[in-house]
Each structure stands twice: as structure tokens, then as C-alpha cells.
Amino acid sequence: MLSVIKRGISKVKEDIKVIYENDPAAKNFLEVILCYPGLHALIAYRFAHRLYKWSIPLIPRMISYLTRIITGIEIHPAAKIGRRFFIDHGEGVVIGETTIVGDDVLIYQQVTLGGTGKESGKRHPTLGNNVIVGAGAKVLGNITIGDNVRIGAGSVVIEDVPPHSTVVGVPGRIAHRAVIDEQGNLMHNRIPDPIRCDINKLKAEVEILKEEIEKR
């Protein structure tokens, strides 16, 4: 039991540290402890998840429900979440029962990691390591999001995404150039538009064809 408590405290320390690393608004330790609903939801989840693994009935779901009321974040106690997970702002985040989240994952407000219907078994997404999911994005179904993937704000992802990709749009499409800064953070104000790129490509091809026809 003592070792379990020590591991839990160690994870909480990591969760606090990652807030400082990712949010320039974090000014001091007390502010992080008191004013970050993502941290509160994650601490509650880790406790509920431990109870769930011990096969304790009802209580883990009650903890999840109360946490949703307080923080606006719903994490099913059966979900599997890795280390250094950060929910920025957090309001409206939903993480489903069979979701698997890797290490060093960052998600923003209004993100859903959910299912697509009433199917049984594994029905929620699996996120690899170092994934960023932008505000309002929906990642749905039993799909796999590879390591180092960036999902743009408002995107709806319903298919597997290979590692080192940037996904934007509804439905989500892979943009061939990842717009990230030197630290590897997705620059939400510079997300490429794959549809516009395709249209521009078609326009260029039409111009080439017109030039060839005029030469004949």
C-alpha cells in the first residue's frame, strides 16, 4: 500500500511539473494546485482508476461523476492514461471507458475521446506518446493515433493516423506539412488547409493544360 501511495505522489508531482512546462500562465505552486481543473480531474481519475483496478464497485464511477460536476471534465475510471498528461483549460473534455492515452499527451478544452455507437469491446481511441489534440477536436472510435501526431482544433478524426502527422478538418485529413514550433508544439493559428491545397493544385494543373492547348 505504501508503495502505491508513493507512486501516486510521484505521478502527481510529474503532473504539476508538466503544467509549468506547458502553460506560461502558471505562476506558482499554489496557483497550480488550486486553479487548474485539469489537474484536479487527473488526480481524481488516478484515485478512481486504482479503485477500479481493485474491482471496487460503484465508487470509481461516483468519483468520476462528482469530478465532472466540479471540473467539467469526464474521465471514465477504466480509461488508461500515461504519465505527464496535461488537460489545458479542460471544460467539456470527455474521455471514454476503453480509451488508452500514452505519455506526454496534451489536450485542450472541448476534446472528446469517444466512441461511435453502442458497439462492445474496445470502442474508444488509442493515443500514442507526445500527441497534441487541439480545442474542440473529436477523436472517435477504436482507432490508433500514432506518436507525435498533432490534431488541429475542431477536427473530427475517425480513421487511424500514422506517427508524425498533422490532422485537420472534418473529417480529419492528414496535412502533409506539420506546422509546429521549435519545441514541437502545434501552432493552431497556422494550421494548413488540405482542401485548399488540393484546390490550388488543381488550379495549377488547369493552367498548365490551358497553356498546352493554346500552344497547339
Side-chain angles (χ1 to χ4, degrees), residues 1 8 20 53 84 87 91 100 105 121 131 144 153 171 184 210-211:
M1 176 64 72
Y20 280 112
K53 290 180 69 175
R84 298 176 296 277
I87 303 174
E91 180 67 32
I100 300 174
V105 172
V131 172
T144 299
K210 285 172 64 177
E211 290 177 2

Side-chain angles (χ1 to χ4, degrees), residues 187-199:
M187 299 178 70
H188 298 277
N189 61 328
R190 294 179 57 193
I191 294 173
D193 185 345
I195 296 177
R196 179 178 294 178
C197 291
D198 287 344
I199 292 173

Side-chain angles (χ1 to χ4, degrees), residues 157-195:
V157 184
I158 55 176
E159 296 181 348
D160 291 348
V161 179
H164 308 288
S165 301
T166 296
V167 179
V168 296
V170 181
R173 301 179 62 189
I174 296 173
H176 295 292
R177 59 186 184 91
V179 182
I180 57 178
D181 63 17
E182 294 179 354
Q183 287 73 43
N185 298 315
L186 178 63
M187 299 178 70
H188 298 277
N189 61 328
R190 294 179 57 193
I191 294 173
D193 185 345
I195 296 177

Side-chain angles (χ1 to χ4, degrees), residues 16-210:
I16 293 172
K17 182 180 177 182
V18 82
I19 290 175
Y20 280 112
E21 292 174 349
N22 285 276
D23 189 358
K27 303 303 182 184
N28 56 69
F29 178 79
L30 190 60
E31 181 179 291
V32 171
I33 290 295
L34 297 177
C35 303
Y36 278 75
L39 177 64
H40 303 157
L42 192 55
I43 292 173
Y45 154 77
R46 296 202 188 282
F47 179 60
H49 182 67
R50 178 59 58 180
L51 297 181
Y52 180 88
K53 290 180 69 175
W54 288 342
S55 300
I56 295 176
L58 185 59
I59 294 176
R61 289 302 304 273
M62 289 180 63
I63 293 172
S64 174
Y65 175 70
L66 292 173
T67 302
R68 186 187 70 170
I69 293 174
I70 296 170
T71 66
I73 299 169
E74 181 177 349
I75 307 176
H76 195 285
K80 298 177 181 179
I81 296 177
R83 299 169 63 180
R84 298 176 296 277
F85 180 56
F86 180 32
I87 303 174
D88 198 0
H89 300 294
E91 180 67 32
V93 168
V94 177
I95 300 177
E97 178 182 12
T98 60
T99 301
I100 300 174
V101 178
D103 297 334
D104 302 297
V105 172
L106 166 62
I107 67 176
Y108 289 87
Q109 67 272 17
Q110 303 297 327
V111 165
T112 298
L113 307 179
T116 57
K118 296 183 179 180
E119 67 273 17
S120 59
K122 183 72 168 70
R123 61 189 187 278
H124 298 98
T126 297
L127 276 61
N129 299 325
N130 196 33
V131 172
I132 297 177
V133 186
K138 314 300 177 186
V139 185
L140 306 175
N142 181 19
I143 61 176
T144 299
I145 309 300
D147 294 345
N148 303 299
V149 165
R150 302 324 189 220
I151 299 175
S155 301
V156 178
V157 184
I158 55 176
E159 296 181 348
D160 291 348
V161 179
H164 308 288
S165 301
T166 296
V167 179
V168 296
V170 181
R173 301 179 62 189
I174 296 173
H176 295 292
R177 59 186 184 91
V179 182
I180 57 178
D181 63 17
E182 294 179 354
Q183 287 73 43
N185 298 315
L186 178 63
M187 299 178 70
H188 298 277
N189 61 328
R190 294 179 57 193
I191 294 173
D193 185 345
I195 296 177
R196 179 178 294 178
C197 291
D198 287 344
I199 292 173
N200 290 337
K201 183 179 178 180
L202 288 172
K203 286 181 178 179
E205 291 176 352
V206 169
E207 290 299 323
I208 293 172
L209 290 173
K210 285 172 64 177

